[in-house]
Amino acid sequence: MPRITAEEVRVVAHLARLSLTDEEVRLFTQQLDTILDYVQQLQRLKTESVSPTTHVLPLANVLRPDQITPSLDPETVAALAPQRKGRFIQVPKIIETEPG
Amino acid sequence: MSRPLWALTAHELADALRQGQVRPREAVEAVLERWQSTNTLLHAYLGVNAEAVRARAERLASQAPQGKLFGVPVAIKDNICVRAEETTCASRILRGFRPPYHATVVERLEAEGAIILGRLNMDEFAFGSSTESSAHGVTRNPWDATRIPGGSSGGSAAAVAADSAFAALGSDTGGSIRQPAAMCGVVGLKPTYGRVSRYGLIAFASSLDQIGPLAKDVTDAALLLEVIAGYDPRDSTSAEVPVPPYRERLTQGLQGLRIGIPRECFVDGLDPEVRRAVEEAIKVLRQLGAACEPTSLPHAEYAVATYYILATAEASSNLARFDGVQYGWRNAAPRGSLLEMYQRTRAEGFGAEAKRRIMLGTYVLSHGYYDAYYARALKVRTLIKQDFDRAFERFDCLVTPTAPTPAFRFGEKLEDPLSMYLSDIYTISVNLAGIPGISVPCGFSKTGLPIGLQVLAAPFQEERLLRAAYAYEQATAWHTRQPEVAETTPSR
């Protein structure tokens, strides 16, 4: 019984905003299956009483004074965008217009 | 001087520059010449802005020497932002991206007088152990051009080994500084999580990534760490822990140092030549006065599985920002929705390994699988960390091989991602535990490929591992061996 199916790979690709070719779907299904099979070894461990480690530093909320400091100017930032119109970043149309 | 200028270590060059025996311009010309004659074969560099490098050398020449790295050219991995220089993470999706600011480490290098030399090749977004996943083509190992340099900081390791950089910065998420350092016969140091600011490092896995030096010897690694380490208010995960003068403290010797040898690191899959070299190195450490004893890291075998869940989960989130909107590259096909623009841009912008990791990371975080994979891996991470905590109650340092084999051939592991992942088996647990680790040269295979020894210490005990690595280096001659790189004239 495979750990992941081609159909699931397509769903995950959609969640990840990747369009995959049929060949990629075939390859990733097989490769992800092998990797997921390998990581099953973690199921052998008893972890009920273990607390999770998200990162290793003894840090909670890191706060700073609410002060205005210099930041990048809008033109510098807008100039990085692959497509822009004036001072705006341009993207394909999001809002459909009502017919008629 | 009998040796060519480019063959000096960074600290030797810094001394010569400070004393006025060498001018910054001479240092720059020497290393640019070396870069030109070796890069066609090795392809360690993605780009060098020779004009900017020369201009910076001129500016420095008009000043009195000041700073720990005054006039020393240092090269930078392509995932660390250098203002106005194209920084791509060796990915098509960041083609043309010129950061509007310096990473903190770059600022710190420049504040100490260093000259930023160029950008070094890497696995795309640091996803890999061989530098084969770079969108810009492979880097070759200076010791054998038919083999990989390791990865993901393969360009950094190859440049330092071939003397086309006096020193370099890399990043290490699962071994990406130490493993290529071992495979190219140089020194590579991954600092404690939080030791070095990551502001300006393009994120792969935020709970694991650290920036660190790749260097010609241990003294250079200590010198560079001293410069780049320390608290930075712009990185809330950087630690407010004082930075000791690492270089001054190298010479304390090994008398009384307690070293643990984890038995789990000497099992099947370890190349016999690597095993022999590491066992010989342990003998040397004993002769130098260290007390070496076996120890155990019982959960070591789970490190690779834990890592490939956590690192890919974090990577899939971090890479969501590359969508063709704010920076980098976009598929600008005139028709189609915003969603299709995202999908096309990411499908064409990311290479196969990046897609594979985004897919795996998205899957383990997705509804219905989160508890079985991600939540469980976070718990196993605790068990792995506790193994190290216990070991460091008894020992000052741990010693292991850096990589299970010397450098492999191009293509050898490309079809089988899992076998590639397993080449990081000795380095990965170190990132999960957040502790510092260093790789130093400890021998060569019969075919002349370098082998690395890994030394580990408790969090923020870089001083101890540098001290052990330095004592070992001074007692052996491995670091003085140089690869013979066939020089070529670049075709223009």
Side-chain angles (χ1 to χ4, degrees):
Chain A
M1 175 69 182
R3 303 238 173 240
I4 188 167
T5 63
E7 207 34 58
E8 285 176 299
V9 165
R10 285 182 206 279
V11 171
V12 172
H14 175 74
L15 293 173
R17 300 295 183 260
L18 285 169
S19 63
L20 299 183
T21 63
D22 290 346
E23 173 56 21
E24 281 176 320
V25 170
R26 192 195 61 75
L27 191 66
F28 286 159
T29 306
Q30 176 225 314
Q31 289 175 334
L32 294 182
D33 190 62
T34 307
I35 296 166
L36 291 172
D37 213 46
Y38 175 77
V39 304
Q40 293 308 311
Q41 56 178 275
L42 300 190
Q43 309 300 327
R44 294 205 296 261
L45 290 166
K46 280 201 181 10
T47 56
E48 291 76 19
S49 57
V50 181
S51 52
T53 298
T54 46
H55 70 84
V56 294
L57 290 173
L59 286 174
N61 295 328
V62 179
L63 302 176
R64 62 170 171 77
D66 187 15
Q67 282 164 355
I68 296 172
T69 53
S71 47
L72 298 168
D73 71 279
E75 173 53 33
T76 307
V77 176
L80 297 172
Q83 280 186 326
R84 63 185 288 206
K85 209 171 200 176
R87 59 195 183 90
F88 298 104
I89 291 171
Q90 202 172 13
V91 291
K93 195 156 92 179
I94 303 167
I95 303 160
E96 300 289 333
T97 44
E98 292 286 325
Chain B
M1 222 172 285
S2 54
R3 279 189 294 165
L5 209 48
W6 46 256
L8 298 187
T9 63
H11 66 89
E12 287 168 341
L13 178 69
D15 290 346
L17 284 156
R18 201 174 302 115
Q19 291 156 15
Q21 295 160 346
V22 173
R23 310 274 297 158
R25 179 72 188 234
E26 293 172 86
V28 154
E29 292 306 330
V31 78
L32 286 176
E33 197 178 304
R34 184 67 180 165
W35 155 67
Q36 282 202 320
S37 64
T38 58
N39 209 52
T40 309
L41 175 68
L42 299 180
H43 192 237
Y45 283 87
L46 297 176
V48 171
N49 185 342
E51 204 182 317
V53 169
R54 289 191 171 108
R56 167 102 170 127
E58 287 306 314
R59 275 200 305 282
L60 289 174
S62 65
Q63 303 165 10
Q66 58 176 17
K68 290 175 182 169
L69 292 169
F70 179 82
V72 178
V74 176
I76 307 288
K77 187 176 181 179
D78 196 36
N79 59 352
I80 297 173
C81 290
V82 179
R83 187 172 52 238
E85 298 293 335
E86 193 180 17
T87 302
T88 70
C89 285
S91 179
R92 279 187 298 274
I93 208 155
L94 273 172
R95 191 191 299 163
F97 174 61
R98 292 178 184 273
Y101 58 86
H102 273 336
T104 296
V105 290
V106 172
E107 279 183 359
R108 290 193 173 177
L109 287 173
E110 288 201 338
E112 292 293 336
I115 299 172
I116 304 303
L117 181 57
R119 301 172 304 100
L120 296 159
N121 201 11
M122 56 186 280
D123 280 294
E124 183 179 11
F125 283 101
F127 298 156
S129 312
S130 67
T131 315
E132 288 167 290
S133 74
S134 167
H136 307 298
V138 301
T139 292
R140 297 179 181 280
N141 191 312
W143 294 91
D144 178 349
T146 68
R147 289 174 189 269
I148 57 102
S152 69
S153 309
S156 305
V160 172
D163 289 320
S164 65
F166 290 100
L169 293 187
S171 65
D172 191 316
T173 306
S176 279
I177 289 174
R178 292 159 287 154
Q179 185 259 28
M183 290 186 171
C184 289
V186 300
V187 176
L189 170 63
K190 183 207 93 79
T192 307
Y193 184 78
R195 177 75 292 185
V196 176
S197 166
R198 302 178 298 172
Y199 178 78
L201 171 70
I202 298 172
F204 158 7
S206 303
S207 81
L208 304 164
D209 298 339
Q210 262 294 286
I211 297 173
L214 290 100
K216 294 187 190 184
D217 64 10
V218 175
T219 307
D220 279 0
L223 176 61
L224 262 86
L225 181 63
E226 220 171 279
V227 170
I228 63 173
Y231 174 68
D232 175 13
R234 292 177 298 188
D235 174 3
S236 59
T237 62
S238 74
E240 293 196 68
V241 176
V243 180
Y246 294 114
R247 197 183 155 182
E248 273 176 33
R249 308 236 174 119
L250 288 174
T251 53
Q252 298 169 79
L254 292 191
Q255 212 57 51
L257 200 80
R258 299 161 305 164
I259 295 179
I261 318 291
R263 56 176 72 89
E264 290 80 5
C265 296
F266 296 85
V267 293
D268 292 351
L270 178 61
D271 178 278
E273 289 190 294
V274 174
R275 172 194 283 266
R276 207 169 308 128
V278 172
E279 285 170 353
E280 287 300 314
I282 292 166
K283 280 186 202 160
V284 173
L285 293 168
R286 273 210 184 95
Q287 285 158 9
L288 291 169
C292 301
E293 276 176 56
T295 183
S296 175
L297 299 169
H299 299 93
E301 61 177 300
Y302 300 102
V304 173
T306 305
Y307 175 87
Y308 277 93
I309 293 171
L310 299 181
T312 58
E314 294 186 27
S316 71
S317 315
N318 274 324
L319 269 61
R321 63 172 62 93
F322 301 105
D323 57 5
V325 174
Q326 296 174 73
Y327 36 64
W329 182 78
R330 170 191 296 192
N331 175 312
R335 287 184 182 282
S337 65
L338 183 66
L339 176 66
E340 286 166 320
M341 189 281 282
Y342 290 154
Q343 289 173 331
R344 282 194 307 253
T345 296
R346 290 165 63 82
E348 292 166 24
F350 291 128
E353 183 61 21
K355 287 180 192 171
R356 194 152 38 235
R357 295 207 191 190
I358 291 170
M359 293 288 294
L360 183 59
T362 307
Y363 178 79
V364 300
L365 288 176
S366 65
H367 185 70
Y369 297 104
Y370 181 90
D371 286 332
Y373 292 107
Y374 187 72
R376 179 166 285 261
L378 288 178
K379 291 179 168 190
V380 180
R381 183 175 186 180
T382 304
L383 298 174
I384 290 167
K385 185 177 176 296
Q386 286 171 348
D387 284 354
F388 281 106
D389 292 345
R390 270 192 284 275
F392 288 125
E393 284 170 15
R394 284 181 57 207
F395 298 104
D396 299 306
C397 292
L398 301 178
V399 160
T400 77
T402 307
T405 65
F408 41 92
R409 290 185 192 282
F410 290 104
E412 212 175 296
K413 297 179 193 274
L414 268 186
E415 300 306 315
D416 181 1
L418 192 56
S419 78
M420 185 76 90
Y421 299 171
L422 288 169
S423 75
D424 295 330
I425 193 157
Y426 300 124
T427 48
I428 266 177
S429 56
V430 174
N431 299 74
L432 292 169
I435 62 174
I438 193 169
S439 179
V440 285
C442 75
F444 287 84
S445 70
K446 280 193 217 74
T447 54
L449 298 169
I451 297 170
L453 177 77
Q454 182 175 237
V455 186
L456 310 173
F460 299 102
Q461 296 301 323
E462 278 83 356
E463 213 179 304
R464 267 187 208 157
L465 59 86
L466 283 163
R467 170 182 159 198
Y470 181 79
Y472 175 76
E473 177 187 81
Q474 295 305 304
T476 55
W478 309 117
H479 65 292
T480 62
R481 269 206 222 176
Q482 301 291 323
E484 278 174 39
V485 184
E487 297 199 13
T488 49
T489 319
S491 50
R492 288 268 164 98

